[in-house]
Amino acid sequence: MGAEMGATTSVFPYTTSMRSYLQATNRGPVATAADAAHAAGFLSADPGAEYDQRIVIDLAKLEPRFNGPFTPDLSTPLSKFGDLVKEMGWKDKISASLIGSCTNSSYEDMSRVASIARQAKEHGLMTATSFMITPGSELINATIERDGFTADLEAVGGVVLANACGPCIGQWDRKECKDEENAILTSFNRNFKARNDGNRKTMNFLASPDIVTAMAFSGKLSFDPTKDELIGADGKPFRFLPPVGDELPATGFTNGNTSYLPSALPEPVPSTVLAISPTSTRLELLAPFAPHFTAEEFASSKTPLEFRGLKCLLRIRGKCTTDEISAAGAWLKYKGHLSNLSENTLIGATNDENGKVNSVVVPGEAEGTFPEVAKRWKAAEQPWMIVTDHNYGEGSAREHASLQPRFLNCKMILARSFARIHRTNLTKQGVLPLTFINDADYSLISAGDHIATSGLDALLRGNLSAEVKVIVQKPDGALIEIATEHALSKDQVEWIAKGSALNVIKEKAQAELNA
């Protein structure tokens, strides 16, 4: 998750555990090559390397933690979590417990939670909450079924789901707690509002699979499985022993059902017809995004390549994650139909000017939802931009969160700061991401203001050091000049200049064919 903190790359030293895993998953040659590289002095920290920051973690003092609600950045130690529940006035109840998905569903994770389930079964207990397990792959699913872990979990009330993203990204048709404040525990990696079940009031607390599983038998947020007791079916109190598990299966992994896997090196079949029903609500062909400027405009040095006539559609307050830009849940069925999926664009964003969610108020126009106003402006060929707060686009590297605004005719996003991955995704779709040099300038732009750029021409013509300014025209005609930073690479500038990265790829591929 280094990228979540703005890291370009996260590097880990090669270990014997990595070798064992590679060998166990039929990648022995990779392990052999890694061994040779490690022996030659690679795949480990450079001697005498200097670091900007060194963090030392004493594992003997490290205790389980909960992260949340509504952000992975808010962390509370297990020993203090019960006090936090009381302090915040939350109901001391867990409504659902979920583990697995792509995060924390390794064989070791599953073997450890199975050991907890066996302890509970010995004392005659079933989970006090719904308990769902999502295997991270068919390899894990088949292996834990063979080794009895699936049966262990199901014996105490667990439900093993399909090998998919599952409730982690909103693939959860949840019937209970509709629009009610409630708390769930998960071992997933993100917990933004409405991400899992579509309910913005659901508080998702992230924890390890061990903690989530143990607490599922109590049903209470205040339960500390490291020291608190449960009452068994015989009326006697007991405590869970620390979970145990194997890092890798002793008899190796089993592949399970591989019939859905493609062949390793499929031969291209150019004659294949891509047939999509014109009445489909779930699939549609994508049309290339038009460049912001014509070839003639680029060819003429007298034509400034500046955005003119943009209008600000919304100023967004606070955290706005990719889940709030492009909601998951029931919307996932439209992933292949951009027109339909765009109906959820920014419906989770908070309007800074009125404090409402999914509300756009432009002077002279009726209040509407974000998709309603954006579609209305697109139909009127009115290009637009938005102003956003810090870390805009935090969360999953969800391409649709950049595709949808571009599809609706967004040309620029001006933020206090961007999540790095999302910022890159915006440039791939031809959206210009700019950041305020002065954070306080954020409040100078309101919905309905007319927006233009100054200095974009130099940037698009190759001057990466060009300063791009945003010119704001207020309703009374007053002009405000705002300094911004672009931090774009040469490739990203080309993507924006051509309208999208795909346009650039297509143009270069065509040039190679014609060469």
Side-chain angles (χ1 to χ4, degrees):
M1 306 307 290
E4 298 284 357
M5 306 306 294
T8 302
T9 304
S10 297
V11 181
F12 299 88
Y14 182 61
T15 64
T16 55
S17 294
M18 292 181 184
R19 178 197 301 122
S20 298
Y21 184 77
L22 288 168
Q23 291 172 337
T25 52
N26 301 315
R27 287 174 279 190
V30 177
T32 300
D35 286 340
H38 189 252
F42 298 102
L43 305 181
S44 59
D46 297 331
E50 295 184 5
Y51 301 93
D52 292 333
Q53 184 180 15
R54 182 185 294 269
I55 300 173
V56 178
I57 300 174
D58 187 344
L59 297 181
K61 297 179 180 179
L62 190 66
E63 66 171 297
R65 305 182 77 90
F66 292 94
N67 286 52
F70 307 133
T71 173
D73 302 329
L74 184 61
S75 184
T76 306
L78 173 60
S79 61
K80 297 180 180 179
F81 191 64
D83 293 335
L84 179 65
V85 172
K86 292 179 182 178
E87 178 186 335
M88 300 301 296
W90 295 325
K91 187 182 297 184
D92 190 12
K93 180 182 179 181
I94 304 167
S95 62
S97 306
L98 306 96
I99 63 173
S101 192
C102 68
T103 307
N104 300 324
S105 66
S106 68
Y107 184 85
E108 183 176 14
D109 290 325
M110 295 295 102
S111 63
R112 288 172 64 90
V113 298
S115 76
I116 295 173
R118 288 193 295 271
Q119 290 183 58
K121 183 180 179 182
E122 289 175 3
H123 291 277
L125 289 189
M126 300 288 285
T127 55
T129 75
S130 59
F131 180 42
M132 287 173 272
I133 304 96
T134 308
S137 66
E138 175 61 14
L139 193 76
I140 291 295
N141 186 32
T143 305
I144 65 172
E145 183 174 8
R146 181 202 65 191
D147 292 352
F149 302 158
T150 299
D152 291 333
L153 297 168
E154 290 177 339
V156 293
V159 176
V160 178
L161 307 178
N163 320 322
C165 293
C168 178
I169 64 160
Q171 293 175 332
W172 182 13
D173 186 16
R174 194 180 188 195
K175 305 299 183 184
E176 67 275 16
C177 301
K178 294 287 188 181
D179 201 34
E180 297 177 12
E181 182 176 280
N182 71 103
I184 64 175
L185 298 185
T186 80
S187 67
F188 304 152
N189 52 18
R190 296 183 180 94
N191 57 352
F192 305 122
K193 287 183 179 180
R195 176 180 174 88
N196 305 113
D197 62 359
N199 179 5
R200 292 179 63 85
K201 296 181 181 180
T202 295
M203 300 182 291
N204 178 1
F205 296 96
L206 308 177
S208 70
D210 298 350
I211 295 298
V212 174
T213 301
M215 291 182 68
F217 291 96
S218 165
K220 293 184 177 182
L221 291 172
S222 60
F223 178 70
D224 183 344
T226 65
K227 64 180 183 180
D228 293 342
E229 295 179 332
L230 292 172
I231 304 300
D234 58 3
K236 296 180 181 179
F238 78 97
R239 291 179 185 168
F240 282 120
L241 298 173
V244 295
D246 298 316
E247 189 173 323
L248 294 168
T251 57
F253 287 101
T254 181
N255 291 327
N257 180 8
T258 60
S259 60
Y260 61 90
L261 294 176
S263 57
L265 296 170
E267 286 291 329
V269 184
S271 61
T272 301
V273 177
L274 186 60
I276 297 177
S277 169
T279 60
S280 174
T281 60
R282 301 184 66 163
L283 292 174
E284 71 172 347
L285 289 173
L286 288 174
F289 291 137
H292 301 298
F293 305 98
T294 65
E296 291 74 21
E297 289 172 323
F298 266 101
S300 172
S301 59
K302 297 180 180 180
T303 304
L305 305 177
E306 303 286 353
F307 286 148
R308 302 280 191 243
L310 273 62
K311 288 178 68 175
C312 177
L313 199 154
L314 180 67
R315 187 173 75 220
I316 296 172
R317 178 190 302 174
K319 182 191 288 284
C320 188
T321 71
T322 50
D323 283 279
E324 288 158 322
I325 303 169
S326 176
W331 292 97
L332 292 172
K333 61 179 175 284
Y334 299 127
K335 280 277 190 174
H337 198 293
L338 188 55
S339 299
N340 286 341
L341 188 62
S342 293
E343 295 288 344
N344 77 9
T345 305
L346 283 161
I347 61 175
T350 300
N351 186 330
D352 184 55
E353 297 186 72
N354 64 11
K356 296 181 181 179
V357 175
N358 193 24
S359 167
V360 174
V361 181
V362 178
E365 299 186 25
E367 180 177 359
T369 66
F370 190 96
E372 287 171 349
V373 178
K375 287 193 301 178
R376 187 164 68 234
W377 284 14
K378 179 182 179 181
E381 298 185 354
Q382 172 60 62
W384 51 271
M385 56 82 72
I386 57 175
V387 175
T388 68
D389 216 321
H390 282 294
N391 208 22
Y392 177 75
E394 177 187 0
S396 306
R398 193 168 293 172
E399 198 75 21
H400 289 83
S402 54
L403 272 167
Q404 291 169 222
R406 179 72 163 96
F407 174 75
L408 292 171
N409 209 20
C410 176
K411 291 184 178 291
M412 181 173 75
I413 296 178
L414 180 54
R416 279 176 163 164
S417 64
F418 288 95
R420 186 185 61 80
I421 295 176
H422 185 64
R423 180 183 165 282
T424 298
N425 285 345
L426 288 171
T427 63
K428 289 179 181 178
Q429 305 308 331
V431 177
L432 175 65
L434 298 175
T435 56
F436 292 101
I437 289 180
N438 180 4
D439 267 7
D441 289 345
Y442 159 88
S443 60
L444 297 179
I445 307 176
S446 300
D449 288 351
H450 289 263
I451 308 295
T453 60
S454 174
L456 181 61
D457 177 80
L459 176 64
L460 295 184
R461 295 190 189 279
N463 181 5
L464 294 182
S465 62
E467 295 182 3
V468 180
K469 296 179 181 179
V470 170
I471 312 301
V472 183
Q473 182 178 0
K474 305 301 286 186
D476 63 0
L479 297 178
I480 302 173
E481 185 177 277
I482 295 177
T484 73
E485 183 179 18
H486 67 79
L488 297 173
S489 68
K490 180 180 177 181
D491 286 342
Q492 291 170 339
V493 169
E494 185 178 19
W495 299 339
I496 293 169
K498 300 292 185 179
S500 74
L502 280 179
N503 288 351
V504 173
I505 293 170
K506 180 180 179 180
E507 182 179 288
K508 292 181 177 180
Q510 190 63 50
E512 290 179 3
L513 287 175
N514 296 337

